[in-house]
Amino acid sequence: DQQVKQNSPSLSVQEGRISILNCDYTNSMFDYFLWYKKYPAEGPTFLISISSIKDKNEDGRFTVFLNKSAKHLSLHIVPSQPGDSAVYFCAASLNTGKLIFGQGTTLQVKP
Amino acid sequence: DTAVSQTPKYLVTQMGNDKSIKCEQNLGHDTMYWYKQDSKKFLKIMFSYNNKELIINETVPNRFSPKSPDKAHLNLHINSLELGDSAVYFCASSQGTGGYEQYFGPGTRLTVT
């Protein structure tokens, strides 16, 4: 029973363009959502988060959008840079701190 | 300064052995976690400790035992290792439980032969 899904295993984008990574969830009790970036042989690095009471959060080139009615969140990266090439995980949290991760999307940004 | 550190980074051992993975955080966080990333790359929580108290214990075999000597450390001890235990194990910490981002260590790749 996968409560958090990232349906696109991979995404390829040209440098300078927008990258849009998507995530769907099923549990309406999730109250906090996060995006992590992961390079090979390293731990996940926190990128950006959003509380369930908001619909948008922005931090530099990264913006996360939350659509609670659709149980969908997305991460926008503008402009995309080659250094953004990594695996991106979305995660949803319950108030216990338990994070439930999606299976990840590999982003490749081409120069 | 590394915020969340784990040792060792790689661990190769034989079936039936007992091994430990150590985790330390210098962020002053109250809550620490262990996650397992399996061969399909899914990251799943195993345990969570808040102020040295166990608060999350997923359906993990009791061969796995977390130990928290203090708030800055959460070690993972695994008895009678099995082939299926081969995975990457990540330690993480956060300021509190709900509503806080978690910071991850670099991971320990465990290979059981």
Side-chain angles (χ1 to χ4, degrees), chain A residues 8 17 21 25 37 62 68 70 79 83 88 90 92 95 100 107:
Chain A
S8 298
R17 300 291 198 111
L21 297 104
Y25 63 95
K37 174 180 176 179
F62 302 92
K68 283 180 62 179
Y88 288 78
C90 71
N95 59 9
I100 298 175
L107 172 66

Side-chain angles (χ1 to χ4, degrees), chain A residues 12-97:
Chain A
S12 183
V13 169
Q14 207 66 34
E15 181 179 6
R17 300 291 198 111
I18 184 171
S19 295
I20 300 177
L21 297 104
N22 294 302
C23 181
D24 297 297
Y25 63 95
T26 57
N27 190 341
S28 57
M29 297 301 293
F30 289 140
D31 57 6
Y32 193 57
F33 302 89
L34 308 93
W35 283 94
Y36 284 84
K37 174 180 176 179
K38 187 180 181 305
Y39 293 117
E42 294 184 12
T45 301
F46 170 72
L47 266 180
I48 191 168
S49 62
I50 187 167
S51 164
S52 60
I53 62 174
K54 294 186 175 182
D55 55 18
K56 177 183 174 181
N57 189 25
E58 198 171 347
D59 184 2
R61 296 186 297 116
F62 302 92
T63 304
V64 56
F65 295 91
L66 176 62
N67 182 333
K68 283 180 62 179
S69 60
K71 294 191 177 69
H72 177 84
L73 68 155
S74 61
L75 174 68
H76 292 209
I77 307 173
V78 181
S80 302
Q81 299 172 354
D84 296 330
S85 298
V87 179
Y88 288 78
F89 291 94
C90 71
S93 171
L94 299 166
N95 59 9
T96 58

Side-chain angles (χ1 to χ4, degrees), chain B residues 28 30 48 54 61 73 76 80 89 91 93 106 112:
Chain B
D30 290 336
S48 170
L54 182 65
H73 296 84
L76 183 65
S80 304
Y89 293 85
C91 176
S93 72
V112 183

